[in-house]
Amino acid sequence: MSDTPAYRVAPGADISDDATIGEGSSIWHLAQVREGAEIGTDCVIGRGAYIGSGVRMGDGCKIQNYALVYEPAVLAAGVFVGPAAVFTNDHFPRAVTPDLAPKSASDWEPVGVTCETGASIGARAVCVAPVTIGAWAMVAAGATVVKDVPPHALVAGVPAKRLGWVGRAGEKLVPAADGTDAWVCPTTGEWYIPDDSTGGLLLASSPLAHAPRPAELPDHDGTDGPAA
């Protein structure tokens, strides 16, 4: 790859002069970045990937080989899009009008997929616009998403349905042992609680700090009766 002061571009990549590429980003062979696209810092655009005109991507995103991100998609920081995943952009896709005339840009209204911070889209998944993939949610490989995915949800299948919850580390969460409706990451120890405003989960704490806890049983010395 040839170095530039701001970002790296591999031979054969097609980047519009009107696109904005953040410092430290890498654009690999045969990738195409269209006019008006905004790519954040430290992003990776894999071989053969397509980034549509006006697509906006936050810092630290990773778009794997041959993924197709059609405008007007919006990706927040840290989003992962797996190989050959597709973000659509049309409610009613047709090549022609009812009288078989070729459709022009004025004959349809593009709609986009929105991915919130840290969301992950698996290989060959299809996100059918307009949908929102919530923060830190995970879409399994091969899934077809036709409705919004709440934060921290793990969804799979066609159409995609929630199978569980995942934490920021990507591990499947387990129910808290204290009998509350909290969830715990077995890797990091982070606790998550339901978020009624989104239908998903919300990070409750740092590992083991200020998290819901089972009440401690009092020490019994015999004066207060037997322990339960």
Side-chain angles (χ1 to χ4, degrees):
M1 299 179 71
S2 59
D3 290 333
T4 71
Y7 57 89
R8 299 183 297 169
V9 180
D14 181 5
I15 302 176
S16 169
D17 292 338
D18 191 39
T20 302
I21 314 296
E23 185 175 356
S25 291
S26 299
I27 317 294
W28 287 93
H29 306 76
L30 305 179
Q32 183 177 10
V33 180
R34 293 282 304 277
E35 61 275 6
E38 299 178 11
I39 312 300
T41 62
D42 300 317
C43 291
V44 177
I45 310 298
R47 178 185 177 92
Y50 175 85
I51 308 298
S53 56
V55 167
R56 290 184 288 137
M57 293 171 47
D59 299 339
C61 291
K62 188 171 186 178
I63 312 300
Q64 294 282 67
N65 294 358
Y66 300 103
L68 307 176
V69 181
Y70 289 102
E71 68 279 359
V74 177
L75 284 62
V79 168
F80 173 90
V81 180
V86 179
F87 289 7
T88 74
N89 68 346
D90 195 348
H91 279 298
F92 310 109
R94 292 291 194 199
V96 295
T97 63
D99 60 2
L100 294 182
K103 291 182 73 171
S104 66
S106 61
D107 291 322
W108 65 290
E109 179 183 359
V111 290
V113 173
T114 299
C115 291
E116 297 179 344
T117 302
S120 293
I121 314 299
R124 290 194 177 275
V126 178
C127 296
V128 181
V131 292
T132 295
I133 313 300
W136 302 104
M138 184 173 292
V139 175
T144 298
V145 179
V146 296
K147 62 180 182 180
D148 292 350
V149 177
H152 293 283
L154 168 63
V155 301
V158 180
K161 297 180 179 179
R162 189 179 68 81
L163 301 182
W165 300 105
V166 291
R168 297 189 300 176
E171 292 283 343
K172 193 171 182 179
L173 302 179
V174 297
D178 63 357
T180 68
D181 55 2
W183 295 79
V184 182
C185 175
T187 299
T188 66
E190 292 177 334
W191 286 60
Y192 298 82
I193 57 175
D195 180 5
D196 292 337
S197 66
T198 64
L201 298 184
L202 181 68
L203 180 65
S205 68
S206 299
L208 306 181
H210 304 105
R213 292 289 187 279
E216 294 185 5
L217 294 175
D219 292 331
H220 287 280
D221 57 8
T223 58
D224 296 328

